Amino acid sequence: MASRISHTTFDAHDAYAQSEWWKKVLVGYTDVEGDPNEPGHEECMIVPPADGTAGAAGPLLFIEVPEGKTLKNRIHLDLRPTDRSREEEVERVIELGATVLDDRRTPDGRGWVVLADPEGNEFCILRSDAELAAQDG
């Protein structure tokens, strides 16, 4: 027997605000059908589109905890833009409220950018598939 990942859970100060912010970043993610997230909910789950366009990331669950984030995450999401360049996606999420923590882009176009969501959880933005194909082709 084996296990499968059901969902990825993030501790949050405001589970609802985090779920709403990540729905803007991960376009196509929605609340669980029949169980909408509301302000004040201590647990808020968002799910990827049923057509599989979000990849294999699966559902994300935000659970309110009393303590704030104090250290670097031991796990984080790596995002690959689907309809724009890495640079365009970095600018988009900054406009949504993300903060750049580290810029690991290299002069040859490789690398990634490390950002934080509004509550400080790290995530990275990688090059898009189109950018990868252009460099390898």
Side-chain angles (χ1 to χ4, degrees):
M1 294 198 133
S3 296
R4 68 174 178 81
I5 296 173
S6 169
H7 54 273
T8 302
T9 303
F10 292 86
D11 289 350
H13 176 71
D14 184 335
Y16 174 73
Q18 282 291 91
S19 70
E20 291 298 301
W21 191 84
W22 278 99
K23 282 192 299 188
K24 292 175 187 171
V25 172
L26 301 172
V27 177
Y29 268 68
T30 61
D31 295 347
V32 175
E33 188 175 341
D35 187 17
N37 297 324
E38 299 287 341
H41 282 181
E42 293 179 1
E43 296 183 8
C44 294
M45 182 175 281
I46 60 174
V47 296
D51 64 7
T53 56
L60 302 179
L61 177 63
F62 301 91
I63 297 180
E64 290 189 3
V65 297
E67 66 277 358
K69 182 179 173 300
T70 58
L71 300 172
K72 182 182 183 302
N73 292 26
R74 298 284 307 256
I75 188 170
H76 66 267
L77 301 176
D78 284 343
L79 307 180
R80 191 172 303 281
T82 59
D83 62 350
R84 64 196 70 191
S85 71
R86 175 187 55 208
E87 282 64 34
E88 292 168 327
E89 184 65 355
V90 167
E91 290 305 314
R92 185 181 79 86
V93 299
I94 289 171
E95 289 175 10
L96 291 173
T99 304
V100 175
L101 299 178
D102 193 12
D103 190 336
R104 298 291 187 102
R105 291 176 282 194
T106 60
D108 67 357
R110 299 180 193 279
W112 60 92
V113 180
V114 182
L115 299 109
D117 72 16
E119 288 200 11
N121 297 301
E122 295 95 7
F123 64 99
C124 295
I125 297 183
L126 313 172
R127 292 184 299 163
S128 68
D129 288 335
E131 289 172 300
L132 290 173
Q135 182 155 359
D136 295 338

